[in-house]
């Protein structure tokens, strides 16, 4: 098990579109383990493979307070968005220290493969639904900052560049 380096916005690699996983095998399961370890270590509630510079459709999520309810989505596909539009303050491990409000739908029905390679469907609402939409966005090369105003995007890019210079 290894902790993986997380790409920081506005790294252009965060814009890459992830390809589907052809086969859920040991390689994929090892990557899922590393992604989960990386997410827990960084105190995040979700991580997409894109964020660790692997451009395959893999997401790990744990929105539980106890940090023991790992959910793995391979080749996730949104079947339906339900409910109202809700505004939630979001953050992202690729944009550390930045939080802002994004509008998304309150419910989602998703189909994906699990770590065992079996297909499953899940209906979610609340924080889990928001998180699923946020992480699937990553697989499409989209970061939550992309939904904010140009002014905010410019400001956040400046902050991130400064932060990465300091830690370099
Ligand atoms: Ni994110």
């Amino acid at each position: 098990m290894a902790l993986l380096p997380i790409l920081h916005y506005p790294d252009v690699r965060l814009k890459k579109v992830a390809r589907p996983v052809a086969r859920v095998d040991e390689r994929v399961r090892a990557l899922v383990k590393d992604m989960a370890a990386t997410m827990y270590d960084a105190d995040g509630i979700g991580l997409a493979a894109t964020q660790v510079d692997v451009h395959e459709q893999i997401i790990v999520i744990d929105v539980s307070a106890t940090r023991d309810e790992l959910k793995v989505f391979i080749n996730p596909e949104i079947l339906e968005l339900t409910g109202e539009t809700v505004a939630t303050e979001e953050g992202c491990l690729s944009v550390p220290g930045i939080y802002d409000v994004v509008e998304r739908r309150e419910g989602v029905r998703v189909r994906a493969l699990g770590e065992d390679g079996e297909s499953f469907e899940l209906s979610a609402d609340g924080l889990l639904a928001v998180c699923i939409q946020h992480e699937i966005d990553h697989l499409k090369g989209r970061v939550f900052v992309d939904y904010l105003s140009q002014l905010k995007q410019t400001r956040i890019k400046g902050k991130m560049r400064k932060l990465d210079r300091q830690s370099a």
Side-chain angles (χ1 to χ4, degrees):
M1 202 168 64
L3 296 181
L4 307 168
I6 298 174
L7 299 178
H8 281 175
Y9 178 84
D11 194 308
V12 291
R13 290 170 289 181
L14 288 170
K15 289 182 184 283
K16 283 195 190 178
V17 176
R19 61 185 176 276
V21 171
R23 202 158 59 90
V24 181
D25 54 14
E26 284 314 310
R27 180 191 68 88
V28 170
R29 279 187 281 273
L31 174 61
V32 164
K33 272 204 180 66
D34 288 347
M35 285 175 59
T38 303
M39 173 185 76
Y40 286 123
D41 180 70
D43 246 332
I45 59 171
L47 186 73
T50 308
Q51 294 176 272
V52 292
D53 202 22
V54 175
H55 301 281
E56 297 180 58
Q57 295 175 13
I58 304 170
I59 289 168
V60 294
I61 291 178
D62 188 344
V63 296
S64 73
T66 43
R67 316 295 282 149
D68 58 358
E69 291 174 31
L70 181 68
K71 290 186 165 60
V72 178
F73 301 85
I74 298 166
N75 299 346
E77 188 189 342
I78 290 180
L79 300 174
E80 194 181 11
L81 291 164
T82 58
E84 307 284 306
T85 299
V86 288
T88 312
E89 185 168 80
E90 297 187 17
C92 179
L93 293 177
S94 291
V95 203
I98 303 290
Y99 301 88
D100 213 321
V101 173
V102 176
E103 288 191 344
R104 299 190 192 270
R105 296 287 290 282
E106 75 182 336
V108 64
R109 200 156 61 83
V110 65
R111 178 164 54 209
L113 303 177
E115 276 182 282
D116 53 3
E118 297 291 319
S119 176
F120 67 94
E121 281 185 30
L122 176 85
S123 292
D125 56 16
L127 183 58
L128 179 58
V130 168
C131 193
I132 289 171
Q133 292 171 75
H134 175 120
E135 301 308 333
I136 288 180
D137 266 0
H138 276 302
L139 300 180
K140 294 175 175 164
R142 211 178 295 143
V143 179
F144 84 95
V145 177
D146 299 341
Y147 293 107
L148 307 177
S149 69
Q150 279 303 327
L151 180 68
K152 282 185 175 175
Q153 291 183 31
T154 304
R155 208 179 281 160
I156 292 167
K157 277 177 194 159
K159 277 190 190 168
M160 284 299 118
R161 292 201 170 105
K162 200 171 153 196
L163 183 79
D164 285 335
R165 266 201 310 274
Q166 281 165 352
S167 58

